Amino acid sequence: MARPTSCPSQTSSRKSYHAAHLYVIFGVVSGLYHREFTKLHGFGGRTQLALVHTHLLALGMLAFLVVLALDKLFEPSGAGLFTAFFWVYNAGVVLSVAMMFVHGSQTLLGRPVPVEVSLAAGLGHILLTAGLVLLFVLIGRRLKELAPARGPKAAAPVPDHDARVLR
């Protein structure tokens, strides 16, 4: 039996689902890494490692679950711009979180953090911002496409309840 082909919107929705799923896995693992690595080294201070867990869950899992819900309402994933959003945003999350991971691990080990880590983290934040701009452009376009044609508003028919009483 032939397998039905899926439309681009369904494929993109599955991408969002899988991205959210991967981010929850990496978020939980990063929390475990932070806890065990700090215990192993007897470190009681603060590092950026503590933030990796929440950033993966918020910017990754929650963001893609929201995109998945928005896709059900507005179907932005049917547009070609969705692929650009998906990859730019993911690159921003991964780069930003990876640099937090490197910065936190270096701090925990008592090593200096190279300036390139901050530069790469800045680039990650720029990519995150660009991804969010693309998402808002997509949603805005879909809202315009779904809006009814503008024209003179037709008066809604008023039920004639009083006519029954007067008869």
Side-chain angles (χ1 to χ4, degrees):
M1 180 173 200
R3 185 176 170 183
T5 57
S6 61
C7 70
S9 180
Q10 287 177 336
T11 303
S12 296
S13 291
R14 293 208 50 78
K15 281 184 188 177
S16 295
Y17 167 76
H18 289 300
H21 191 192
L22 285 173
Y23 280 121
V24 76
I25 291 167
F26 290 129
V28 170
V29 169
S30 70
L32 178 67
Y33 173 81
H34 168 255
R35 187 187 74 205
E36 295 304 318
F37 200 56
T38 53
K39 280 196 318 189
L40 179 68
H41 291 281
F43 189 83
R46 296 174 77 70
T47 71
Q48 287 194 3
L49 275 180
L51 304 175
V52 172
H53 169 75
T54 53
H55 275 70
L56 283 168
L57 294 177
L59 294 176
M61 181 200 65
L62 287 176
F64 277 104
L65 289 177
V66 168
V67 167
L68 194 57
L70 288 172
D71 198 35
K72 285 303 243 183
L73 293 172
F74 305 114
E75 296 182 357
S77 63
L81 201 53
F82 182 83
T83 301
F85 151 73
F86 184 83
W87 292 112
V88 168
Y89 185 81
N90 273 303
V93 172
V94 170
L95 186 56
S96 297
V97 168
M99 292 305 104
M100 292 171 72
F101 182 82
V102 169
H103 191 283
S105 295
Q106 293 292 90
T107 301
L108 196 135
L109 295 171
R111 298 180 186 157
V113 179
V115 69
E116 291 82 11
V117 170
S118 294
L119 295 173
L123 176 60
H125 283 79
I126 290 169
L127 290 171
L128 275 168
T129 303
L132 290 172
V133 167
L134 289 171
L135 179 63
F136 274 87
V137 168
L138 275 166
I139 299 297
R141 285 182 182 174
R142 291 299 293 154
L143 285 173
K144 283 181 185 176
E145 290 170 7
L146 297 173
R150 299 204 183 251
K153 286 188 174 180
V158 178
D160 196 11
H161 297 291
D162 293 333
R164 283 183 286 145
V165 174
L166 296 175
R167 285 189 223 173

